[in-house]
Amino acid sequence: MAQPKYPNWPMAFLIAFAVFPLVPALDEWFFTFTNRSLVQQVPGMFIFGILTLALNAAVGYVGILHLGIAAFFGIGAYITGILTVPAYPFEIGFWCALIVATLGTAAFGGVIGIPTLRLRGDYLALVTLGFAEVVKFSIQNLDAITGGPRGMNPIPPPEIIGLPEPLFVDSIGFYFLTLAFLVAAYLLLARIERSRLGRAWVAIREDELAASCMGLNVGRLKLAAFVFAAGLAGAAGCLYATSIGSTADPNAYGFNKSVLVLCCLILGGLGSRNGALFGVFCLYGFDQILSPIIDVGFNNKFLPTVITPWLARHDC
Amino acid sequence: MLVMWAAFDWTNFGQQTINGLTIGALIALIALGYTMVYGIVELINFAHGDLFMLGCFLALSLVSVFGLNEAGVLATMPWWRILGPVLLCFLVIPLFCAGLNLAVDRVVYKPLRNAPKLAPLVSAIGVSFIFMNIGLFWGGAQDVNFPDLVAAAWPEKSADGERIQTGIVRNLLADSDTGLRFTVKDAMVIGVTVPLMLALSLFVSFTKTGKAMRATAQNPVAAQLMGINVDWVIGVTFLIGGAMAGFGSVMYALTLNTVGYQMGFQNGLYAFTAAVLGGIGNIYGAVLGGIVIGLVRSLGSEYVGETWTSALVFAVLIVILVFRPSGLLGSRTPEKV
């Protein structure tokens, strides 16, 4: 196989993210001037990457205008919550919950997808948006089941057979677990992209009418993409709930999150896996990791050393 | 069954219907901006709701300039000194919203006219967030009270008709024995909205510009070939849509008396839902959709529960779209090959 002429950026990023936590000095150095540990921050970005890859299947490959991916993210998180918190009798642990969350969220995707996927683009956008709002308000109002605005906790950390203790969410082990899931989702999408299913999806995106004329069952293929995106988003939601040990406030699964995912996808380029992840790296990285650091830096370093003396000098 | 029927509180039902119609008229005004813009450029203008919110904040600032926002000042003020600032609001804020809407179109949407559909959509969401943050700086994170000017100008009379009750708006049905409240506020909303919609309908049906708008909505390229200045038509559409939102925001502030930076998103979503429900691109559909949403909101919060209102609105939307995929009044356009 011929070597590509350009540097293999995805692989370089992967190696950087895989090596970085193994060198504790790097993280400690980062900690000294930001008071934040990257090992604890970055798994959130990986989970967000999985979510973006999920949306990529629906929006990027098939061209379904989907504005409600956060609802499926939330459904996954809440299924995990119900199945693992001690307040309920299930307590089936992380791995079973992950499977149930994925399948359950996919089922939700099917229930909403079957009647609505025949709608035209913008109508579908509103239906997905409306569905997301219905889910958010339902979670908020069904206080007896979901805990309302307080959310559910504690969600236990994942256990791995052979390891003496569970992977606590601030450990390097959890970092690698989320990274492994991200890589798995990436490879899964890469396989699908080159399969019969993926090529059919792209054909529908390019021209729905032509695709149906070539004998593709457009309705079922669209539904497959919608359900696949929902399931993957549900898995991401399960990881998210586990990573913060709680299902958080229902507002965490609102329209803003759906839009942020969509923005990551569009920034990186629709239909491109690497692009989607790069978009997450830029937007989520800036929004969740860099901007708090800038805030801290501004308040602790810049404000007392530059602004305050300047104001004092000018008698303000 | 018969007992339940007899026990049903028809007065309450009628009251909620009146409230629903008032809210529905306001939502319809915002929905017009969505539906007209969508009809012409096929863009979901997510910033429209936040434009409405900025209009409310401008109304608040304008009213504060006249000193109507200070505590206790309204009780002693004669009605004609309140009327002036209110009329000024009705003049200035539609102009402001129209101008801002046009500026957004020229700066943000126009360069993306031929881009893939998702690009202007996401830009619209971006503009919406920018507006929301402007609102946050302008009015703060907390909801702000808007002075109850209508109640101050037309207060309720007491039973003997002599003394006035400050702070309560006059009920126009007080003398009838229906037991319903149809206040001056409701009358104002209906009295402004209905003529505006009639004027818009006449404008679109009979003027040259209106004809050009309909032609552009049908086929922009063909309209351009017929000598219509499409960019100008789009500009007029944004102006009218913005002005409608401006009227809506003045009346919203005057009737509901709270203003907050997040109201734009919520009401914008309702209005957009109304536009889609009625068949997006159809002006009469937007009005019908607005009234349906208003009724669902008001009856739903009475009979289902306050916290379920939003969920109910979207559930109704999904159900209606499942059975009528192009909305209530939307026409089914066949796919072009």
Side-chain angles (χ1 to χ4, degrees):
Chain A
M1 218 160 88
Q3 282 289 318
K5 291 203 177 65
Y6 53 88
N8 194 341
W9 286 113
M11 194 51 90
F13 265 87
L14 177 64
I15 291 171
F17 274 116
V19 168
F20 152 77
L22 299 177
V23 187
L26 276 176
D27 201 35
E28 278 162 21
W29 170 74
F30 193 78
F31 191 82
T32 51
F33 71 99
T34 60
N35 288 334
R36 277 159 182 275
S37 159
L38 269 187
V39 172
Q40 289 170 32
Q41 299 275 311
V42 172
M45 188 162 87
F46 293 156
I47 293 166
F48 208 77
I50 300 174
L51 185 60
T52 309
L53 287 178
L55 190 66
N56 192 21
V59 180
Y61 293 161
V62 197
I64 297 170
L65 213 46
H66 195 330
L67 293 180
I69 193 73
F72 298 109
F73 190 57
I75 291 172
Y78 270 86
I79 290 178
T80 310
I82 288 172
L83 291 176
T84 56
V85 289
Y88 280 94
F90 310 112
E91 289 197 74
I92 59 174
F94 170 76
W95 294 100
C96 294
L98 179 68
I99 294 168
V100 179
T102 309
L103 296 179
T105 315
F108 264 98
V111 168
I112 189 68
I114 287 169
T116 58
L117 274 172
R118 67 199 177 104
L119 296 174
R120 270 201 344 235
D122 297 295
Y123 289 85
L124 188 61
L126 184 65
V127 165
T128 50
L129 171 54
F131 173 71
E133 293 286 302
V134 171
V135 167
K136 193 183 89 182
F137 284 112
S138 302
I139 291 174
Q140 223 156 28
N141 293 336
L142 291 172
D143 215 316
I145 302 173
T146 60
R150 295 180 310 281
M152 283 181 292
N153 56 37
I155 293 173
E159 291 178 32
I160 292 179
I161 297 165
L163 286 183
E165 56 181 32
L167 287 175
F168 288 106
V169 293
D170 51 356
S171 68
I172 291 181
F174 192 76
Y175 179 99
F176 280 111
L177 184 73
T178 48
L179 182 59
F181 273 111
L182 178 63
V183 171
Y186 180 90
L187 294 178
L188 178 65
L189 248 71
R191 285 302 305 155
I192 289 180
E193 219 174 82
R194 290 168 166 274
S195 75
R196 190 184 160 86
L197 181 66
R199 293 190 203 280
W201 282 350
V202 174
I204 292 174
R205 179 189 68 195
E206 293 303 326
D207 192 332
E208 198 172 318
L209 194 68
S212 73
C213 289
M214 300 309 284
L216 294 176
N217 188 338
V218 172
R220 268 172 59 185
L221 286 164
K222 272 187 169 176
L223 185 64
F226 197 77
V227 169
F228 176 80
L232 196 52
C238 173
L239 278 172
Y240 175 75
T242 309
S243 79
I244 59 174
S246 150
T247 56
D249 163 28
N251 283 319
Y253 311 108
F255 180 61
N256 284 5
K257 181 150 276 176
S258 298
V259 169
L260 187 60
V261 181
L262 192 63
C263 286
C264 290
L265 198 53
I266 288 173
L267 182 73
L270 284 170
S272 151
R273 281 163 290 130
N274 295 334
L277 295 184
F278 188 67
V280 171
F281 181 75
C282 293
L283 279 186
Y284 185 91
F286 181 79
D287 190 39
Q288 301 288 324
I289 299 178
L290 197 58
S291 71
I293 291 172
I294 293 173
D295 272 2
V296 169
F298 183 81
N299 289 333
N300 294 352
K301 301 266 161 62
F302 192 63
L303 204 59
T305 56
V306 180
I307 302 274
T308 316
W310 187 87
L311 288 177
R313 253 203 322 278
H314 293 81
D315 294 326
C316 295
Chain B
M1 188 65 209
L2 204 67
V3 176
M4 272 179 68
W5 190 247
F8 187 77
D9 188 352
W10 283 104
T11 310
N12 189 18
F13 180 80
Q15 187 58 53
Q16 295 304 330
T17 311
I18 291 179
N19 297 353
L21 286 176
T22 308
I23 297 175
L26 289 177
I27 293 177
L29 274 181
I30 314 173
L32 281 173
Y34 276 107
T35 215
M36 288 171 68
V37 165
Y38 187 88
I40 303 259
V41 284
E42 300 222 326
L43 160 75
I44 304 174
N45 186 5
F46 269 103
H48 197 70
D50 299 282
L51 183 79
F52 159 80
M53 178 268 297
L54 288 183
C56 285
F57 274 127
L58 184 66
L60 185 61
S61 301
L62 203 63
V63 164
S64 307
V65 167
F66 285 93
L68 298 177
N69 207 10
E70 290 149 30
V73 76
L74 284 178
T76 56
M77 199 169 266
W79 65 270
W80 46 269
R81 279 191 58 194
I82 296 173
L83 190 65
V86 169
L87 287 180
L88 192 66
C89 279
F90 272 116
L91 187 69
V92 170
I93 286 146
L95 284 177
F96 164 77
C97 287
L100 190 59
N101 214 15
L102 181 68
V104 168
D105 172 54
R106 287 299 183 248
V107 175
V108 183
Y109 303 143
K110 197 179 171 200
L112 297 172
R113 209 75 91 200
N114 297 318
K117 227 174 162 183
L118 217 50
L121 180 75
V122 173
S123 308
I125 295 174
V127 175
S128 151
F129 283 163
I130 291 173
F131 279 2
M132 213 188 274
N133 280 293
I134 292 175
L136 190 60
F137 277 120
W138 196 341
Q142 300 295 322
D143 282 2
V144 190
N145 267 340
F146 192 90
D148 199 347
L149 299 178
V150 182
W154 288 277
E156 181 76 299
K157 290 197 181 74
S158 60
D160 55 11
E162 286 303 314
R163 284 174 298 116
I164 55 168
Q165 299 173 327
T166 46
I168 302 175
V169 65
R170 184 177 300 167
N171 178 9
L172 296 175
L173 291 179
D175 296 334
S176 69
D177 51 3
T178 50
L180 295 175
R181 280 178 64 78
F182 183 80
T183 63
V184 179
K185 286 179 182 176
D186 298 321
M188 175 190 75
V189 171
I190 308 283
V192 175
T193 311
V194 171
L196 270 181
M197 285 170 182
L198 283 179
L200 180 67
S201 158
L202 291 177
F203 175 81
V204 173
S205 311
F206 294 116
T207 62
K208 208 171 172 185
T209 317
K211 236 180 218 172
M213 280 166 74
R214 279 182 292 147
T216 312
Q218 218 166 54
N219 190 336
V221 179
Q224 197 153 27
L225 291 176
M226 296 298 129
I228 292 171
N229 187 345
V230 171
D231 260 339
W232 187 71
V233 169
I234 293 173
V236 171
T237 310
F238 272 89
L239 276 178
I240 294 177
M244 291 289 167
F247 280 112
S249 58
V250 178
M251 284 192 291
Y252 185 95
L254 284 176
T255 33
L256 295 167
N257 302 111
T258 38
V259 176
Y261 80 102
Q262 280 186 319
M263 63 190 255
F265 175 69
Q266 199 60 44
N267 288 296
L269 211 50
Y270 283 144
F272 179 47
T273 307
V276 172
L277 198 60
I280 198 158
N282 185 323
I283 290 176
Y284 306 103
V287 177
L288 179 67
I291 288 168
V292 169
I293 298 284
L295 286 176
V296 168
R297 251 183 84 170
S298 138
L299 294 175
S301 72
E302 181 66 19
Y303 295 111
V304 182
E306 190 92 44
T307 48
W308 286 100
T309 315
S310 298
L312 196 67
V313 167
F314 294 113
V316 167
L317 168 85
I318 292 173
V319 169
I320 288 187
L321 282 188
V322 165
F323 290 106
R324 278 197 67 87
S326 323
L328 291 173
L329 299 184
S331 55
R332 258 207 144 135
T333 45
E335 287 276 319
K336 277 176 231 158
V337 181

PDB file of all heavy atoms in Angstrom, chain B residues 277-306:
ATOM      1  N   LEU B 277     -47.121  24.478  11.810  1.00  0.00           N
ATOM      2  CA  LEU B 277     -48.425  23.851  12.012  1.00  0.00           C
ATOM      3  C   LEU B 277     -49.411  24.302  10.955  1.00  0.00           C
ATOM      4  O   LEU B 277     -50.193  23.504  10.423  1.00  0.00           O
ATOM      5  CB  LEU B 277     -48.930  24.255  13.402  1.00  0.00           C
ATOM      6  CG  LEU B 277     -50.018  23.447  14.043  1.00  0.00           C
ATOM      7  CD1 LEU B 277     -49.544  22.036  14.206  1.00  0.00           C
ATOM      8  CD2 LEU B 277     -50.345  24.044  15.388  1.00  0.00           C
ATOM      9  N   GLY B 278     -49.382  25.592  10.634  1.00  0.00           N
ATOM     10  CA  GLY B 278     -50.330  26.112   9.660  1.00  0.00           C
ATOM     11  C   GLY B 278     -49.914  25.837   8.226  1.00  0.00           C
ATOM     12  O   GLY B 278     -50.677  26.076   7.304  1.00  0.00           O
ATOM     13  N   GLY B 279     -48.697  25.361   8.043  1.00  0.00           N
ATOM     14  CA  GLY B 279     -48.182  25.178   6.685  1.00  0.00           C
ATOM     15  C   GLY B 279     -47.204  26.298   6.412  1.00  0.00           C
ATOM     16  O   GLY B 279     -47.617  27.434   6.168  1.00  0.00           O
ATOM     17  N   ILE B 280     -45.905  26.002   6.484  1.00  0.00           N
ATOM     18  CA  ILE B 280     -44.926  27.091   6.455  1.00  0.00           C
ATOM     19  C   ILE B 280     -44.909  27.734   5.069  1.00  0.00           C
ATOM     20  O   ILE B 280     -45.037  27.059   4.055  1.00  0.00           O
ATOM     21  CB  ILE B 280     -43.537  26.611   6.911  1.00  0.00           C
ATOM     22  CG1 ILE B 280     -42.673  27.796   7.283  1.00  0.00           C
ATOM     23  CG2 ILE B 280     -42.875  25.728   5.904  1.00  0.00           C
ATOM     24  CD1 ILE B 280     -41.543  27.450   8.193  1.00  0.00           C
ATOM     25  N   GLY B 281     -44.784  29.067   5.045  1.00  0.00           N
ATOM     26  CA  GLY B 281     -44.857  29.807   3.804  1.00  0.00           C
ATOM     27  C   GLY B 281     -46.241  30.375   3.546  1.00  0.00           C
ATOM     28  O   GLY B 281     -46.419  31.217   2.673  1.00  0.00           O
ATOM     29  N   ASN B 282     -47.227  29.928   4.312  1.00  0.00           N
ATOM     30  CA  ASN B 282     -48.602  30.363   4.108  1.00  0.00           C
ATOM     31  C   ASN B 282     -48.986  31.360   5.206  1.00  0.00           C
ATOM     32  O   ASN B 282     -48.960  31.039   6.383  1.00  0.00           O
ATOM     33  CB  ASN B 282     -49.517  29.123   4.151  1.00  0.00           C
ATOM     34  CG  ASN B 282     -50.946  29.454   3.832  1.00  0.00           C
ATOM     35  OD1 ASN B 282     -51.453  30.496   4.214  1.00  0.00           O
ATOM     36  ND2 ASN B 282     -51.600  28.559   3.124  1.00  0.00           N
ATOM     37  N   ILE B 283     -49.340  32.592   4.808  1.00  0.00           N
ATOM     38  CA  ILE B 283     -49.596  33.650   5.787  1.00  0.00           C
ATOM     39  C   ILE B 283     -50.818  33.326   6.642  1.00  0.00           C
ATOM     40  O   ILE B 283     -50.806  33.463   7.861  1.00  0.00           O
ATOM     41  CB  ILE B 283     -49.770  34.995   5.063  1.00  0.00           C
ATOM     42  CG1 ILE B 283     -48.420  35.440   4.501  1.00  0.00           C
ATOM     43  CG2 ILE B 283     -50.305  36.053   6.003  1.00  0.00           C
ATOM     44  CD1 ILE B 283     -48.492  36.681   3.694  1.00  0.00           C
ATOM     45  N   TYR B 284     -51.901  32.864   6.009  1.00  0.00           N
ATOM     46  CA  TYR B 284     -53.101  32.540   6.777  1.00  0.00           C
ATOM     47  C   TYR B 284     -52.836  31.337   7.679  1.00  0.00           C
ATOM     48  O   TYR B 284     -53.381  31.248   8.779  1.00  0.00           O
ATOM     49  CB  TYR B 284     -54.277  32.260   5.844  1.00  0.00           C
ATOM     50  CG  TYR B 284     -54.501  33.391   4.878  1.00  0.00           C
ATOM     51  CD1 TYR B 284     -54.091  33.294   3.556  1.00  0.00           C
ATOM     52  CD2 TYR B 284     -55.067  34.576   5.312  1.00  0.00           C
ATOM     53  CE1 TYR B 284     -54.266  34.350   2.684  1.00  0.00           C
ATOM     54  CE2 TYR B 284     -55.237  35.640   4.451  1.00  0.00           C
ATOM     55  CZ  TYR B 284     -54.830  35.521   3.127  1.00  0.00           C
ATOM     56  OH  TYR B 284     -54.987  36.578   2.283  1.00  0.00           O
ATOM     57  N   GLY B 285     -51.991  30.439   7.203  1.00  0.00           N
ATOM     58  CA  GLY B 285     -51.628  29.283   8.015  1.00  0.00           C
ATOM     59  C   GLY B 285     -50.942  29.704   9.296  1.00  0.00           C
ATOM     60  O   GLY B 285     -51.196  29.140  10.362  1.00  0.00           O
ATOM     61  N   ALA B 286     -50.064  30.729   9.203  1.00  0.00           N
ATOM     62  CA  ALA B 286     -49.356  31.188  10.399  1.00  0.00           C
ATOM     63  C   ALA B 286     -50.340  31.719  11.420  1.00  0.00           C
ATOM     64  O   ALA B 286     -50.215  31.471  12.617  1.00  0.00           O
ATOM     65  CB  ALA B 286     -48.341  32.267  10.029  1.00  0.00           C
ATOM     66  N   VAL B 287     -51.352  32.461  10.940  1.00  0.00           N
ATOM     67  CA  VAL B 287     -52.341  33.015  11.870  1.00  0.00           C
ATOM     68  C   VAL B 287     -53.131  31.879  12.520  1.00  0.00           C
ATOM     69  O   VAL B 287     -53.302  31.836  13.750  1.00  0.00           O
ATOM     70  CB  VAL B 287     -53.284  33.976  11.120  1.00  0.00           C
ATOM     71  CG1 VAL B 287     -54.353  34.492  12.066  1.00  0.00           C
ATOM     72  CG2 VAL B 287     -52.495  35.119  10.523  1.00  0.00           C
ATOM     73  N   LEU B 288     -53.582  30.935  11.697  1.00  0.00           N
ATOM     74  CA  LEU B 288     -54.335  29.797  12.234  1.00  0.00           C
ATOM     75  C   LEU B 288     -53.478  29.013  13.234  1.00  0.00           C
ATOM     76  O   LEU B 288     -53.942  28.677  14.329  1.00  0.00           O
ATOM     77  CB  LEU B 288     -54.782  28.884  11.091  1.00  0.00           C
ATOM     78  CG  LEU B 288     -55.556  27.646  11.514  1.00  0.00           C
ATOM     79  CD1 LEU B 288     -56.892  28.051  12.099  1.00  0.00           C
ATOM     80  CD2 LEU B 288     -55.758  26.704  10.345  1.00  0.00           C
ATOM     81  N   GLY B 289     -52.225  28.755  12.828  1.00  0.00           N
ATOM     82  CA  GLY B 289     -51.326  28.006  13.713  1.00  0.00           C
ATOM     83  C   GLY B 289     -51.118  28.735  15.027  1.00  0.00           C
ATOM     84  O   GLY B 289     -51.122  28.124  16.094  1.00  0.00           O
ATOM     85  N   GLY B 290     -50.946  30.072  14.955  1.00  0.00           N
ATOM     86  CA  GLY B 290     -50.756  30.851  16.172  1.00  0.00           C
ATOM     87  C   GLY B 290     -51.934  30.700  17.106  1.00  0.00           C
ATOM     88  O   GLY B 290     -51.774  30.516  18.317  1.00  0.00           O
ATOM     89  N   ILE B 291     -53.142  30.750  16.539  1.00  0.00           N
ATOM     90  CA  ILE B 291     -54.326  30.641  17.393  1.00  0.00           C
ATOM     91  C   ILE B 291     -54.423  29.236  17.992  1.00  0.00           C
ATOM     92  O   ILE B 291     -54.722  29.080  19.181  1.00  0.00           O
ATOM     93  CB  ILE B 291     -55.580  31.012  16.579  1.00  0.00           C
ATOM     94  CG1 ILE B 291     -55.560  32.522  16.336  1.00  0.00           C
ATOM     95  CG2 ILE B 291     -56.840  30.632  17.318  1.00  0.00           C
ATOM     96  CD1 ILE B 291     -56.540  32.995  15.331  1.00  0.00           C
ATOM     97  N   VAL B 292     -54.116  28.218  17.178  1.00  0.00           N
ATOM     98  CA  VAL B 292     -54.147  26.847  17.711  1.00  0.00           C
ATOM     99  C   VAL B 292     -53.161  26.704  18.868  1.00  0.00           C
ATOM    100  O   VAL B 292     -53.495  26.187  19.941  1.00  0.00           O
ATOM    101  CB  VAL B 292     -53.833  25.824  16.596  1.00  0.00           C
ATOM    102  CG1 VAL B 292     -53.610  24.444  17.199  1.00  0.00           C
ATOM    103  CG2 VAL B 292     -54.963  25.772  15.597  1.00  0.00           C
ATOM    104  N   ILE B 293     -51.929  27.211  18.652  1.00  0.00           N
ATOM    105  CA  ILE B 293     -50.913  27.090  19.706  1.00  0.00           C
ATOM    106  C   ILE B 293     -51.338  27.854  20.957  1.00  0.00           C
ATOM    107  O   ILE B 293     -51.193  27.373  22.088  1.00  0.00           O
ATOM    108  CB  ILE B 293     -49.552  27.622  19.200  1.00  0.00           C
ATOM    109  CG1 ILE B 293     -49.058  26.801  18.030  1.00  0.00           C
ATOM    110  CG2 ILE B 293     -48.528  27.644  20.313  1.00  0.00           C
ATOM    111  CD1 ILE B 293     -48.505  25.495  18.392  1.00  0.00           C
ATOM    112  N   GLY B 294     -51.896  29.050  20.745  1.00  0.00           N
ATOM    113  CA  GLY B 294     -52.351  29.833  21.888  1.00  0.00           C
ATOM    114  C   GLY B 294     -53.407  29.091  22.686  1.00  0.00           C
ATOM    115  O   GLY B 294     -53.358  29.039  23.914  1.00  0.00           O
ATOM    116  N   LEU B 295     -54.364  28.476  21.978  1.00  0.00           N
ATOM    117  CA  LEU B 295     -55.423  27.744  22.671  1.00  0.00           C
ATOM    118  C   LEU B 295     -54.860  26.520  23.388  1.00  0.00           C
ATOM    119  O   LEU B 295     -55.218  26.250  24.535  1.00  0.00           O
ATOM    120  CB  LEU B 295     -56.502  27.317  21.673  1.00  0.00           C
ATOM    121  CG  LEU B 295     -57.409  28.451  21.176  1.00  0.00           C
ATOM    122  CD1 LEU B 295     -58.374  27.945  20.124  1.00  0.00           C
ATOM    123  CD2 LEU B 295     -58.181  29.054  22.332  1.00  0.00           C
ATOM    124  N   VAL B 296     -53.948  25.798  22.708  1.00  0.00           N
ATOM    125  CA  VAL B 296     -53.363  24.614  23.350  1.00  0.00           C
ATOM    126  C   VAL B 296     -52.624  25.020  24.611  1.00  0.00           C
ATOM    127  O   VAL B 296     -52.726  24.380  25.660  1.00  0.00           O
ATOM    128  CB  VAL B 296     -52.412  23.882  22.365  1.00  0.00           C
ATOM    129  CG1 VAL B 296     -51.595  22.845  23.097  1.00  0.00           C
ATOM    130  CG2 VAL B 296     -53.202  23.237  21.259  1.00  0.00           C
ATOM    131  N   ARG B 297     -51.876  26.137  24.502  1.00  0.00           N
ATOM    132  CA  ARG B 297     -51.109  26.594  25.662  1.00  0.00           C
ATOM    133  C   ARG B 297     -52.023  26.931  26.820  1.00  0.00           C
ATOM    134  O   ARG B 297     -51.796  26.515  27.951  1.00  0.00           O
ATOM    135  CB  ARG B 297     -50.331  27.860  25.273  1.00  0.00           C
ATOM    136  CG  ARG B 297     -48.859  27.638  25.164  1.00  0.00           C
ATOM    137  CD  ARG B 297     -48.172  28.921  24.862  1.00  0.00           C
ATOM    138  NE  ARG B 297     -47.921  29.682  26.079  1.00  0.00           N
ATOM    139  CZ  ARG B 297     -47.163  30.767  26.118  1.00  0.00           C
ATOM    140  NH1 ARG B 297     -46.594  31.201  25.025  1.00  0.00           N
ATOM    141  NH2 ARG B 297     -46.986  31.400  27.229  1.00  0.00           N
ATOM    142  N   SER B 298     -53.068  27.703  26.518  1.00  0.00           N
ATOM    143  CA  SER B 298     -53.874  28.202  27.625  1.00  0.00           C
ATOM    144  C   SER B 298     -54.780  27.107  28.191  1.00  0.00           C
ATOM    145  O   SER B 298     -54.877  26.942  29.405  1.00  0.00           O
ATOM    146  CB  SER B 298     -54.630  29.425  27.124  1.00  0.00           C
ATOM    147  OG  SER B 298     -55.911  29.429  27.555  1.00  0.00           O
ATOM    148  N   LEU B 299     -55.428  26.332  27.318  1.00  0.00           N
ATOM    149  CA  LEU B 299     -56.283  25.257  27.816  1.00  0.00           C
ATOM    150  C   LEU B 299     -55.431  24.155  28.444  1.00  0.00           C
ATOM    151  O   LEU B 299     -55.821  23.556  29.452  1.00  0.00           O
ATOM    152  CB  LEU B 299     -57.135  24.690  26.689  1.00  0.00           C
ATOM    153  CG  LEU B 299     -58.173  25.668  26.113  1.00  0.00           C
ATOM    154  CD1 LEU B 299     -58.874  25.056  24.918  1.00  0.00           C
ATOM    155  CD2 LEU B 299     -59.181  26.065  27.160  1.00  0.00           C
ATOM    156  N   GLY B 300     -54.264  23.896  27.850  1.00  0.00           N
ATOM    157  CA  GLY B 300     -53.386  22.854  28.386  1.00  0.00           C
ATOM    158  C   GLY B 300     -52.891  23.192  29.776  1.00  0.00           C
ATOM    159  O   GLY B 300     -52.868  22.341  30.663  1.00  0.00           O
ATOM    160  N   SER B 301     -52.514  24.451  29.984  1.00  0.00           N
ATOM    161  CA  SER B 301     -51.994  24.787  31.309  1.00  0.00           C
ATOM    162  C   SER B 301     -53.113  24.769  32.332  1.00  0.00           C
ATOM    163  O   SER B 301     -52.874  24.575  33.517  1.00  0.00           O
ATOM    164  CB  SER B 301     -51.293  26.144  31.297  1.00  0.00           C
ATOM    165  OG  SER B 301     -52.236  27.166  31.179  1.00  0.00           O
ATOM    166  N   GLU B 302     -54.356  24.921  31.880  1.00  0.00           N
ATOM    167  CA  GLU B 302     -55.469  24.875  32.830  1.00  0.00           C
ATOM    168  C   GLU B 302     -55.847  23.427  33.157  1.00  0.00           C
ATOM    169  O   GLU B 302     -56.057  23.073  34.298  1.00  0.00           O
ATOM    170  CB  GLU B 302     -56.671  25.612  32.240  1.00  0.00           C
ATOM    171  CG  GLU B 302     -57.882  25.657  33.143  1.00  0.00           C
ATOM    172  CD  GLU B 302     -57.649  26.473  34.403  1.00  0.00           C
ATOM    173  OE1 GLU B 302     -56.713  27.288  34.411  1.00  0.00           O
ATOM    174  OE2 GLU B 302     -58.398  26.265  35.377  1.00  0.00           O
ATOM    175  N   TYR B 303     -55.947  22.584  32.114  1.00  0.00           N
ATOM    176  CA  TYR B 303     -56.525  21.255  32.335  1.00  0.00           C
ATOM    177  C   TYR B 303     -55.485  20.145  32.427  1.00  0.00           C
ATOM    178  O   TYR B 303     -55.792  19.054  32.861  1.00  0.00           O
ATOM    179  CB  TYR B 303     -57.540  20.937  31.228  1.00  0.00           C
ATOM    180  CG  TYR B 303     -58.727  21.861  31.283  1.00  0.00           C
ATOM    181  CD1 TYR B 303     -58.939  22.817  30.295  1.00  0.00           C
ATOM    182  CD2 TYR B 303     -59.613  21.806  32.343  1.00  0.00           C
ATOM    183  CE1 TYR B 303     -60.014  23.685  30.366  1.00  0.00           C
ATOM    184  CE2 TYR B 303     -60.683  22.667  32.420  1.00  0.00           C
ATOM    185  CZ  TYR B 303     -60.887  23.601  31.433  1.00  0.00           C
ATOM    186  OH  TYR B 303     -61.933  24.460  31.515  1.00  0.00           O
ATOM    187  N   VAL B 304     -54.263  20.374  31.949  1.00  0.00           N
ATOM    188  CA  VAL B 304     -53.248  19.320  32.039  1.00  0.00           C
ATOM    189  C   VAL B 304     -52.212  19.667  33.095  1.00  0.00           C
ATOM    190  O   VAL B 304     -51.801  18.809  33.872  1.00  0.00           O
ATOM    191  CB  VAL B 304     -52.558  19.094  30.672  1.00  0.00           C
ATOM    192  CG1 VAL B 304     -51.546  17.974  30.773  1.00  0.00           C
ATOM    193  CG2 VAL B 304     -53.587  18.779  29.611  1.00  0.00           C
ATOM    194  N   GLY B 305     -51.817  20.897  33.144  1.00  0.00           N
ATOM    195  CA  GLY B 305     -50.811  21.288  34.131  1.00  0.00           C
ATOM    196  C   GLY B 305     -49.830  22.279  33.531  1.00  0.00           C
ATOM    197  O   GLY B 305     -49.419  22.136  32.383  1.00  0.00           O
ATOM    198  N   GLU B 306     -49.470  23.252  34.333  1.00  0.00           N
ATOM    199  CA  GLU B 306     -48.608  24.334  33.871  1.00  0.00           C
ATOM    200  C   GLU B 306     -47.288  23.808  33.302  1.00  0.00           C
ATOM    201  O   GLU B 306     -46.831  24.232  32.252  1.00  0.00           O
ATOM    202  CB  GLU B 306     -48.329  25.264  35.046  1.00  0.00           C
ATOM    203  CG  GLU B 306     -47.654  26.560  34.707  1.00  0.00           C
ATOM    204  CD  GLU B 306     -48.672  27.657  34.447  1.00  0.00           C
ATOM    205  OE1 GLU B 306     -49.638  27.769  35.226  1.00  0.00           O
ATOM    206  OE2 GLU B 306     -48.488  28.390  33.472  1.00  0.00           O
TER     207      GLU B 306
END
